[in-house]
Amino acid sequence: MASIGITASIRRACSSQHITKKQSAQARPSRSLGTQATNVVTPNVEGLKLSEKQEKSPFPNIDNPKEPGDEIQASVETSYPRFSDERWKNGTWDLNMFVKQGRVDWDAVIVAEAKRRKFLELYPEASSNEEPVLFRSSIIPWWAWIVHSHLPEAELLNGRAAMVGFFMAYVVDALTGLDVVGQTGNFVCKAALFVTVIGVVLFRRKEDLENLQKLADEATFYDKQWQASWQSPDTSNAVKEESRKE
Amino acid sequence: MASIALKTFVGLRRSTPENNAIVLSKPATATTLSYRRLRVNASKSSPRVTGRNLRVAVVGGGPAGGAAGETLAKGGIETFLIERKMDNCKPCGGAIPLCMVGEFDIPLDIIDRRVTKMKMISPSNVAVDIGQTLKPHEYIGMVRREVLDAYLRDRAATAGATVINGLFLKMDLPESKNAPYVLHYTDYNAKTGSAGEKKTLEVDAIVGADGANSRVAKGINAGDYDYAIAFQERIKISDEKMKYYENLAEMYVGEDVSPDFYGWVFPKCDHVAVGTGTVTHKGDIKKFQLATRLRARDKIEGGKIIRVEAHPIPEHPRPKRVLDRVALVGDAAGYVTKCSGEGIYFAAKSGRMCAEAIVEGSENGKRMVEESDLRVYLEKWDKTYWPTYKVLDILQKVFYRSNPAKEAFVEMCADEYVQKMTFDSYLYKRVVPGNPLEDLKLAVNTIGSLVRANALRKEMEKLSV
C-alpha cells in the first residue's frame, strides 16, 4: 500500500531524544485506510502524490509490539526531525540568550523565529499540549521590524529614485531648458513626479501589477456569483464563463 | 506594503493549466443589462386551484427538506417529501449554531455535545484558546446528522407531509403555464422489495433540497458551482483522550493541512472526527489528511479509524436558484459560507424561507404560485444573509491566503474583541457593528499582524534550513 511506502520513506535518522518514546512501532506498517471495516469510502491510495522528501530507508526495530488493528500509529507519522534550538525553551524564545552589548538583539530574534517557521513548514510537527508554543511575534517591538525589514528596502528604493531623479532632471533640462529650480516650479513636472512616486510605491516588481489586478477581480467575483440569479441569461453566462476560465 | 508575495485565490485552480488571466467579459450591450427586479403582485392574478390544495414536492429529506416540508405542511399545502435513504449518515462536521436550537425548536437530547471552547492552531503550532467570552448558556451544538435529519423529517410528517422513501430520477417540465410538473422517482417502500418501483408524481411546485449533487438543479439547468472536497475520518480514541475533547473543538490552519481551508478535530458522540478540505488541490486531499493527523497526533494517538467519508461542499450559489415553479434551497442552492464552511443552519433556514414564500404566495394553498413568489424568497434570503456571506468571504480571502496570513489569523483570534464579535456573529447570525473605537484598534492590529507575518515570511525566504 502506498501509504506504508510514504510513511516508511520519510523516516529519517534522528538524533533528538524527543523521538524515542514515540518510536514504539515504527517498523510495523500502518494499516492503511483501505484494509479496514465497514462503510468506507475507499480512498484510492495509489493516487497519492509523493513528495520529493521521501527516500527508501530501513526501519528500526519495534520496542513493544502493538496489536493488529487500524490504530493511529504514533510513530508512523513522526518521521520528521524535530525543531530544536538552544535558545528555544519551553515553547518560547529565551530573550536572555539574545542579549548583545547589554540590549536584546531583535534582529536575531526575528531571524531565529523565521528559521523556526521555515523548519516547521518543511517538517510539520504535531501540536502538543505538553509543550505548547507560547511565543507571540507581537513581543517584538514595532521599531525592530522597521529597522530590520523596512529600512533596507527603503534605502534601496530611495537610492533608485535619486539616480532616476538626477538623470531625468538632466534630460528634461536638455530638452526644455528648465533647470532644476525651474522644474520644481512647473506644474507638469510636479505632476509627473507625483505619478512616478505613486508608481514606485505600488509597483515595485512586475508581479505587483498582476497582483493588483487579480485583487481587484477577486474583490468583486463573489458578488457576481451571488447576483447571477438576478441577472438576464447572457450576463449570467458571462459569470459562468469566468468561473470556467479559472 | 505591496511587496507581499501575493498568492491569490483566483489563480490557484490547478485544474486549468492554461493562463489564469481573468477576462471580465463585459457584455457588448453593457447599457442594456436587464436586472429582473420582480415583485410580489402576481399571486393575486394567479388562478385559484380548484378542488384541492396546492401540491408541492420537496426533493431531499435533510435539514433543508425537513424544514421546508414542515412549514409547507403547516401552511396547509399538500406536501410530498422524497428522501432516498432514511438512515443516511451524511458526512458532516455536525456543528449547529445556538440560534438554530431556538428557531427550529431542536430538543436538547439531539445535541450530543456542547462545544464551548475552541483551539486554533497556526502553522507554527501557536495555539490560541477561544471561548472565554462565551456566556454560560452559549455553545456550539454538535449533532449526528442521521439523528437531526430524522427528527426534522418526522416533524414534517407529523405536520401532515407525506414522506416517500424514494430516489428522485428526473422531472418533466410543464408544457403550459399552469400545467403540473411530473416527477419520476423510484419508490423503495417495502412491498416491491429492495429494487424499488418506478412511479410518477404530479405536483405544482418543487423545492430542490437534495444537496450538493442536486438532480433538481440539473433538471432546471441551474448551472455549476465550484466546490470543496471535505474529507473526514471518524476516530475512536481512548476515554482519557476523549476527556480533552469533552467540549473542545480544534482547528488547524496551515499549508500542510490545507492550502485554502482548515483541518479540524470535532468531538462527536463518542469519537472524534478528524478531517480537512480543499477547493484547489483536490488531488492532494489524502496528503492533507495525513498532515492533519500528524498535527493532532499526540491527542489522537492509539485511536482506531472507524469510518472514512468525504463529500463535496459548494463554495458559492448556483447561477440559477429559481426557475418557474422550482426553487433550490440548502446545499443544492450552494448556501455554504466560506471560511467556516457552515451549511446546516443555512440549509434549514432557506428551506423554511422558501416554504414560507410558497405558503404566502399561494395564500395557504388556495392559489397557484408563480416564479415571482419564489423570487420573494430569494430576495429575502439575499437581503438577510448577504452581509454574513460577504464578511466570511473577505475573511477567507484575507486570512487563508498563505501561511503568514494564517499565522496572523491565529494571532488575531487571541484578541477578546475578535472572539466576542466572531461568536456573536456565528451563534446568532447577525453582523453586529460593534464599538467603532474597538473596530479601529482591531483594524490596526490586523494590519500589524499581517505585516509582521509577511515580514517573517520574507525573512524565511532568505533562509534555507
mmCIF file of all heavy atoms in Angstrom, chain B residues 338-352:
data_model
loop_
_atom_site.group_PDB
_atom_site.id
_atom_site.type_symbol
_atom_site.label_atom_id
_atom_site.label_comp_id
_atom_site.label_asym_id
_atom_site.label_seq_id
_atom_site.Cartn_x
_atom_site.Cartn_y
_atom_site.Cartn_z
ATOM 1 N N LYS B 338 -18.206 30.690 3.240
ATOM 2 C CA LYS B 338 -16.774 30.488 3.085
ATOM 3 C C LYS B 338 -16.148 30.564 4.467
ATOM 4 O O LYS B 338 -16.822 30.799 5.451
ATOM 5 C CB LYS B 338 -16.229 31.612 2.202
ATOM 6 C CG LYS B 338 -16.756 31.533 0.810
ATOM 7 C CD LYS B 338 -15.703 31.866 -0.184
ATOM 8 C CE LYS B 338 -16.189 31.524 -1.571
ATOM 9 N NZ LYS B 338 -15.353 32.050 -2.612
ATOM 10 N N CYS B 339 -14.889 30.358 4.517
ATOM 11 C CA CYS B 339 -14.112 30.471 5.756
ATOM 12 C C CYS B 339 -14.474 29.378 6.761
ATOM 13 O O CYS B 339 -13.631 28.632 7.171
ATOM 14 C CB CYS B 339 -14.283 31.861 6.368
ATOM 15 S SG CYS B 339 -13.076 32.216 7.658
ATOM 16 N N SER B 340 -15.715 29.273 7.161
ATOM 17 C CA SER B 340 -16.049 28.252 8.151
ATOM 18 C C SER B 340 -16.709 27.036 7.539
ATOM 19 O O SER B 340 -16.743 25.976 8.146
ATOM 20 C CB SER B 340 -16.964 28.836 9.218
ATOM 21 O OG SER B 340 -18.157 29.276 8.606
ATOM 22 N N GLY B 341 -17.260 27.172 6.357
ATOM 23 C CA GLY B 341 -17.872 26.023 5.710
ATOM 24 C C GLY B 341 -19.150 25.566 6.380
ATOM 25 O O GLY B 341 -19.457 24.378 6.409
ATOM 26 N N GLU B 342 -19.906 26.501 6.919
ATOM 27 C CA GLU B 342 -21.094 26.131 7.662
ATOM 28 C C GLU B 342 -22.297 26.045 6.754
ATOM 29 O O GLU B 342 -22.531 26.930 5.949
ATOM 30 C CB GLU B 342 -21.337 27.212 8.705
ATOM 31 C CG GLU B 342 -22.392 26.860 9.689
ATOM 32 C CD GLU B 342 -22.926 28.101 10.369
ATOM 33 O OE1 GLU B 342 -22.232 29.132 10.299
ATOM 34 O OE2 GLU B 342 -24.027 28.019 10.922
ATOM 35 N N GLY B 343 -23.079 25.005 6.877
ATOM 36 C CA GLY B 343 -24.192 24.836 5.955
ATOM 37 C C GLY B 343 -25.490 24.360 6.553
ATOM 38 O O GLY B 343 -26.537 24.556 5.934
ATOM 39 N N ILE B 344 -25.455 23.729 7.738
ATOM 40 C CA ILE B 344 -26.686 23.117 8.247
ATOM 41 C C ILE B 344 -27.737 24.184 8.541
ATOM 42 O O ILE B 344 -28.896 24.106 8.105
ATOM 43 C CB ILE B 344 -26.421 22.305 9.521
ATOM 44 C CG1 ILE B 344 -25.379 21.242 9.279
ATOM 45 C CG2 ILE B 344 -27.706 21.645 9.973
ATOM 46 C CD1 ILE B 344 -25.136 20.369 10.482
ATOM 47 N N TYR B 345 -27.323 25.210 9.273
ATOM 48 C CA TYR B 345 -28.301 26.232 9.642
ATOM 49 C C TYR B 345 -28.870 26.902 8.403
ATOM 50 O O TYR B 345 -30.072 27.120 8.282
ATOM 51 C CB TYR B 345 -27.649 27.280 10.558
ATOM 52 C CG TYR B 345 -28.553 28.441 10.822
ATOM 53 C CD1 TYR B 345 -29.636 28.320 11.678
ATOM 54 C CD2 TYR B 345 -28.354 29.656 10.191
ATOM 55 C CE1 TYR B 345 -30.487 29.372 11.897
ATOM 56 C CE2 TYR B 345 -29.197 30.717 10.409
ATOM 57 C CZ TYR B 345 -30.262 30.575 11.268
ATOM 58 O OH TYR B 345 -31.111 31.628 11.478
ATOM 59 N N PHE B 346 -27.981 27.226 7.453
ATOM 60 C CA PHE B 346 -28.456 27.932 6.267
ATOM 61 C C PHE B 346 -29.357 27.055 5.424
ATOM 62 O O PHE B 346 -30.290 27.532 4.778
ATOM 63 C CB PHE B 346 -27.262 28.446 5.457
ATOM 64 C CG PHE B 346 -26.517 29.519 6.175
ATOM 65 C CD1 PHE B 346 -25.297 29.260 6.759
ATOM 66 C CD2 PHE B 346 -27.051 30.785 6.293
ATOM 67 C CE1 PHE B 346 -24.617 30.240 7.438
ATOM 68 C CE2 PHE B 346 -26.377 31.777 6.965
ATOM 69 C CZ PHE B 346 -25.167 31.502 7.541
ATOM 70 N N ALA B 347 -29.096 25.762 5.442
ATOM 71 C CA ALA B 347 -29.972 24.862 4.698
ATOM 72 C C ALA B 347 -31.366 24.877 5.306
ATOM 73 O O ALA B 347 -32.377 25.085 4.612
ATOM 74 C CB ALA B 347 -29.403 23.441 4.725
ATOM 75 N N ALA B 348 -31.430 24.691 6.621
ATOM 76 C CA ALA B 348 -32.739 24.645 7.260
ATOM 77 C C ALA B 348 -33.461 25.979 7.107
ATOM 78 O O ALA B 348 -34.658 26.039 6.820
ATOM 79 C CB ALA B 348 -32.583 24.300 8.740
ATOM 80 N N LYS B 349 -32.730 27.060 7.295
ATOM 81 C CA LYS B 349 -33.368 28.370 7.221
ATOM 82 C C LYS B 349 -33.869 28.669 5.821
ATOM 83 O O LYS B 349 -34.952 29.229 5.638
ATOM 84 C CB LYS B 349 -32.354 29.428 7.664
ATOM 85 C CG LYS B 349 -32.929 30.768 7.894
ATOM 86 C CD LYS B 349 -33.715 30.798 9.160
ATOM 87 C CE LYS B 349 -34.504 32.085 9.189
ATOM 88 N NZ LYS B 349 -34.782 32.627 10.414
ATOM 89 N N SER B 350 -33.083 28.289 4.812
ATOM 90 C CA SER B 350 -33.528 28.578 3.451
ATOM 91 C C SER B 350 -34.720 27.711 3.088
ATOM 92 O O SER B 350 -35.637 28.163 2.394
ATOM 93 C CB SER B 350 -32.397 28.370 2.448
ATOM 94 O OG SER B 350 -31.968 27.028 2.462
ATOM 95 N N GLY B 351 -34.729 26.464 3.585
ATOM 96 C CA GLY B 351 -35.897 25.613 3.353
ATOM 97 C C GLY B 351 -37.145 26.259 3.936
ATOM 98 O O GLY B 351 -38.201 26.344 3.290
ATOM 99 N N ARG B 352 -36.984 26.758 5.138
ATOM 100 C CA ARG B 352 -38.140 27.387 5.788
ATOM 101 C C ARG B 352 -38.566 28.649 5.052
ATOM 102 O O ARG B 352 -39.764 28.875 4.830
ATOM 103 C CB ARG B 352 -37.774 27.717 7.232
ATOM 104 C CG ARG B 352 -38.893 28.390 7.983
ATOM 105 C CD ARG B 352 -38.496 28.650 9.393
ATOM 106 N NE ARG B 352 -38.683 27.463 10.212
ATOM 107 C CZ ARG B 352 -38.608 27.463 11.538
ATOM 108 N NH1 ARG B 352 -38.318 28.573 12.170
ATOM 109 N NH2 ARG B 352 -38.777 26.363 12.216
#
